[in-house]
Amino acid sequence: MEFVDYYKILGLDKNAKAADVKNAYRKMARKFHPDLNPNDEKAKEKFQQINEANEVLSDTEKRKKYDKFGKDWQHADAYENAERQQRSSQNRPNYGSQGYKDSDFSDFFESMFGQQQPRGNRQRTTQFKGQDFNATLSLNFKDILETQKQVIDIGTKKIRITIPAGIENGQTIKIKGQGNEGVNGGPKGDLFITFTISEDPIYKRLGNDLYKTEEI
């Protein structure tokens, strides 16, 4: 997988604060929003990259994993588990013919692929949470004036979600258990939906307030 520099996409450095990420995302999302760039495929691609970067950098845990593992951040839990298994195996005997501990290899592959080679009559499998799904949902300004329900397509399944009134542009909500299936009976992943709200030609929104210009 090619490395994608999320900081570069948002024009930030690694020391950027959460508020910097939020402000940069809003500014760029507004600039490259599909509604403002109809039939512009480059702007559409850029908008998707901006949403992806914001999804990771605006989440504290995801950002830590990304800073440490780069393009492999989504597999951070598996890598860290493998490291722990390898460290613990250093205190175990049972060396192979090449001088390496057999457990070094079996523990590593168990961590990465969820399987452990049988030892004697004992066999164990490791459970992993399924991969999270990410989606972007575009709404008109009038769509957020009242709480509403929508049915969205995620892959081959339809999911009914509740969209709270007043949701903000760029806001992400999490729907637990609507991601990919877990490994070896592990829990399902989650679904993260990022909302993009088009600007209204009449009303201007600042926080929870609406403003309208009238000639007197």
Side-chain angles (χ1 to χ4, degrees):
M1 181 186 297
E2 183 180 354
F3 175 69
V4 179
D5 191 335
Y6 292 143
Y7 291 101
K8 185 177 180 180
I9 289 175
L10 294 181
L12 301 170
D13 58 43
K14 287 191 174 183
N15 296 320
K17 297 180 180 179
D20 298 329
V21 174
K22 184 176 182 179
N23 291 334
Y25 168 73
R26 287 184 172 181
K27 180 179 178 180
M28 297 192 70
R30 186 179 298 111
K31 179 180 179 181
F32 292 98
H33 196 285
D35 290 347
L36 301 179
N37 300 274
N39 303 320
D40 189 335
E41 292 299 321
K42 290 185 177 180
K44 181 180 179 181
E45 181 180 357
K46 184 69 173 180
F47 184 72
Q48 292 174 341
Q49 292 176 347
I50 292 167
N51 278 317
E52 183 178 339
N54 177 68
E55 177 203 335
V56 175
L57 298 185
S58 62
D59 185 294
T60 303
E61 290 303 317
K62 289 183 180 180
R63 183 173 177 178
K64 287 180 180 178
K65 294 176 181 178
Y66 174 76
D67 288 343
K68 183 175 181 180
F69 294 98
K71 65 182 179 65
D72 298 316
W73 71 270
Q74 290 181 311
H75 304 293
D77 293 339
Y79 291 149
E80 290 174 346
N81 189 35
E83 291 175 356
R84 287 193 295 269
Q85 292 282 355
Q86 286 182 304
R87 285 196 298 268
S88 64
S89 68
Q90 292 175 359
N91 296 323
R92 300 175 188 171
N94 188 25
Y95 289 88
S97 60
Q98 300 299 320
Y100 298 102
K101 296 176 184 176
D102 295 335
S103 58
D104 289 347
F105 297 98
S106 60
D107 287 341
F108 177 77
F109 283 103
E110 174 190 3
S111 300
M112 296 305 299
F113 302 107
Q115 294 182 339
Q116 180 176 357
Q117 299 299 325
R119 297 177 183 171
N121 294 324
R122 182 168 59 92
Q123 184 172 5
R124 185 181 64 200
T125 57
T126 302
Q127 296 180 335
F128 290 108
K129 179 183 176 183
Q131 183 179 7
D132 294 334
F133 288 160
N134 301 289
T136 301
L137 183 60
S138 298
L139 299 174
N140 294 319
F141 179 77
K142 293 181 180 179
D143 293 334
I144 65 171
L145 297 180
E146 296 181 350
T147 297
Q148 60 167 299
K149 296 184 182 296
Q150 279 198 21
V151 177
I152 61 175
D153 294 322
I154 301 295
T156 58
K157 61 181 179 180
K158 296 182 181 294
I159 299 176
R160 186 177 179 84
I161 64 172
T162 299
I163 304 173
I167 194 165
E168 295 187 10
N169 184 46
Q171 184 173 341
T172 300
I173 64 172
K174 170 184 174 182
I175 303 180
K176 188 175 179 61
Q178 292 295 341
N180 214 349
E181 295 289 337
V183 178
N184 294 326
K188 289 184 177 181
D190 302 318
L191 169 63
F192 293 88
I193 303 178
T194 300
F195 293 87
T196 59
I197 315 299
S198 61
E199 295 186 358
D200 188 81
I202 299 176
Y203 293 97
K204 181 179 180 63
R205 179 183 182 182
L206 292 176
N208 292 325
D209 299 322
L210 297 180
Y211 294 85
K212 180 182 179 183
T213 302
E214 291 280 2
E215 292 186 5
I216 300 177

